[in-house]
Amino acid sequence: MIAPGELAENANTYTPLGPTDQRVIDDRYVLWRAAAISRT
């Protein structure tokens, strides 16, 4: 189980990703990238 403080401080680590999203994990940070939504 994830501690509540860990989840609050590091939300990007635990955010569910979509099929085209990417998560970049480094010792210093966690970054997630999502595809842009095209509105035509």
Side-chain angles (χ1 to χ4, degrees), residues 34-38:
I37 298 173
S38 176

Side-chain angles (χ1 to χ4, degrees), residues 6-27:
E6 171 71 11
L7 183 58
E9 292 179 17
N10 300 303
N12 284 341
T13 303
Y14 304 104
T15 303
L17 299 179
T20 61
D21 297 344
Q22 295 179 352
R23 180 176 286 133
V24 178
I25 301 173
D26 185 274
D27 290 339

